[in-house]
Amino acid sequence: MSEHNQSRKLTLADYCHKFAALKVSQRKQGEAPYKPILLLSVIDLISQGLIRENCIPVSDDLVNTFNKYWKIIGNPAYDGGLHYPFFHLQSDSFWYIKPKPDFNGLQPKTLNKLKQAVDYAKLDDELFDFLLDQNSRKELLDTLIATWFYESQKKLDNLLMINQDFEKQTGEECESYTYSNYQENNRKKFQLKKSLVREAFFRKTIIHIYDYQCAFCRLKAVRSISQTMVDGAHIKPISLFYNSKIDNGISFCKNHHWAFDRGWFTIDENYKIVVASNLQEISPNAKPIKDFHGESIFLPNSEVYFPSQESLSWHKNNIFKA
Ligand SMILES: [Zn+2]
């Protein structure tokens, strides 16, 4: 049960609503997304297995993760700093601080003061359980990203940077680590590549670039900011390549995503659809897959976001079954 009085158990939808309605300070410099970035950081650490219990200390992992996201998608008009949201998220009634005995209850002014003032924070137990579960975690993450990081082109550019920056960071880490750091380096590299938050940004960015349409059939069906029938898909599978660069992405509706992943069709070097010859289809109410053979896919506005020839040809040679 939660620490505050609730007449009923809160559902996943309730927490999605709370994530979309965070009390974020708005001043003339614009929104200060401290709280969304703190939650992203916590989710990132949970998904990497670095937070396993509902007890969130001001750890180096948390500080570093927060700073990493703040640098890319924070508002540069504010100075940033984990100590703000770690304290103020209490006002959104699912985050609680366990103070040290002599804490005066006032906002700690620096990170060090925060560390001196609090033992740890905890979430509603229900919410923490949702964050441990892969599917509900994905929904909460999508809500957070769609609500707080998607309303301007500037932010989209920053989101694209998340992927590029992380790729770069992974490479830099390799170079700067000495042999004795090898194992540690591999662990970090692995975690960075496996970051669920990064994957969520990838999916959202791809869908956004394709204007929420399926590149194959142009279906666009959106119910809310976090519910759409279109997926941001990897051309070369994430499980094999960990490649979340934008040009390894393409947006497909659920059906065509499924068919693409199984090689029922591919895309040639001129961005034209090539359909396998042996499909058995009856589709009285929608255009059959085989009728798309030879048509051009729907492409993003800017050529820099087009699927890379390298990824497409890998798919054609390794997944597609003519
Ligand atoms: Zn489609």
Side-chain angles (χ1 to χ4, degrees):
M1 277 301 294
S2 312
E3 291 184 359
H4 55 131
N5 294 324
Q6 274 167 201
S7 49
R8 66 181 175 88
K9 231 180 142 171
L10 292 185
T11 63
L12 178 59
D14 292 325
Y15 285 113
C16 284
H17 182 76
K18 279 174 181 269
F19 275 23
L22 292 172
K23 298 182 195 87
V24 164
S25 84
Q26 302 267 1
R27 277 176 258 156
K28 65 173 188 297
Q29 306 96 305
E31 221 164 64
Y34 290 109
K35 291 176 180 178
I37 290 179
L38 170 57
L39 288 171
L40 280 185
S41 308
V42 169
I43 294 173
D44 208 348
L45 297 184
I46 291 175
S47 73
Q48 293 179 49
L50 296 174
I51 294 177
R52 291 167 198 271
E53 274 159 38
N54 190 3
C55 166
I56 303 160
V58 188
S59 65
D60 289 349
D61 279 332
L62 185 63
V63 173
N64 293 339
T65 306
F66 179 89
N67 290 341
K68 183 177 78 187
Y69 284 119
W70 182 268
K71 208 176 110 199
I72 305 172
I73 47 173
N75 183 338
Y78 296 88
D79 53 1
L82 179 73
H83 51 289
Y84 294 109
F86 202 95
F87 181 81
H88 287 297
L89 193 56
Q90 292 179 101
S91 66
D92 293 86
S93 49
F94 56 78
W95 172 271
Y96 313 91
I97 279 178
K98 172 84 171 55
K100 290 191 173 154
D102 52 349
F103 179 46
N104 64 9
L106 299 172
Q107 153 84 68
K109 296 275 187 263
T110 64
L111 188 60
N112 278 337
K113 294 220 161 90
L114 175 72
K115 284 180 182 167
Q116 288 159 18
V118 305
D119 267 335
Y120 58 85
K122 73 180 294 265
L123 294 158
D124 274 351
D125 287 332
E126 297 93 321
L127 173 57
F128 189 75
D129 288 343
F130 285 130
L131 289 175
L132 287 179
D133 175 80
Q134 248 185 26
N135 292 322
S136 48
R137 182 166 65 208
K138 185 168 167 291
E139 205 158 320
L140 286 158
L141 190 55
D142 283 356
T143 304
L144 210 52
I145 291 174
T147 313
W148 298 104
F149 303 104
Y150 264 87
E151 78 288 343
S152 72
Q153 183 59 42
K154 189 186 145 283
K155 281 186 178 165
L156 177 62
D157 289 342
N158 289 347
L159 293 176
L160 291 170
M161 260 180 63
I162 284 203
N163 286 288
Q164 281 151 18
D165 228 54
F166 278 32
E167 295 283 345
K168 208 170 121 242
Q169 214 174 334
T170 311
E172 276 169 5
E173 274 174 7
C174 283
E175 284 162 28
S176 62
Y177 276 64
T178 59
Y179 182 75
S180 61
N181 289 119
Y182 182 74
Q183 277 191 316
E184 173 71 359
N185 180 24
N186 266 5
R187 186 182 72 93
K188 282 196 173 170
K189 198 170 154 187
F190 180 72
Q191 283 164 355
L192 214 53
K193 285 186 165 182
K194 296 274 275 186
S195 164
L196 192 93
V197 176
R198 186 176 162 231
E199 287 317 306
F201 274 116
F202 171 85
R203 289 195 304 272
K204 285 283 157 189
T205 309
I206 295 296
I207 297 171
H208 195 87
I209 286 172
Y210 282 79
D211 190 32
Y212 301 84
Q213 292 187 55
C214 172
F216 185 94
C217 69
R218 293 170 166 70
L219 172 76
K220 179 173 182 171
V222 181
R223 189 181 178 205
S224 70
I225 46 166
S226 58
Q227 284 187 343
T228 149
M229 279 200 209
V230 168
D231 293 333
H234 288 89
I235 301 171
K236 285 157 67 176
I238 184 71
S239 55
L240 295 178
F241 292 95
Y242 300 116
N243 176 347
S244 289
K245 288 185 184 153
I246 296 308
D247 65 5
N248 188 41
I250 188 163
S251 90
F252 285 129
C253 70
K254 304 285 177 195
N255 282 349
H256 296 131
H257 187 182
W258 188 92
F260 184 75
D261 282 352
R262 280 155 191 80
W264 288 27
F265 70 91
T266 194
I267 297 160
D268 73 12
E269 63 278 14
N270 299 310
Y271 304 107
K272 289 203 183 340
I273 293 165
V274 183
V275 180
S277 52
N278 57 350
L279 297 190
Q280 309 285 316
E281 270 185 291
I282 301 168
S283 182
N285 296 310
K287 186 166 158 176
I289 291 182
K290 56 180 181 292
D291 288 6
F292 284 89
H293 183 81
E295 289 191 7
S296 296
I297 57 162
F298 172 76
L299 285 163
N301 278 332
S302 165
E303 211 168 313
V304 297
Y305 303 146
F306 283 16
S308 81
Q309 294 294 343
E310 192 259 328
S311 291
L312 291 178
S313 101
W314 186 89
H315 182 270
K316 196 174 162 190
N317 295 329
N318 295 280
I319 305 291
F320 180 56
K321 294 169 195 86

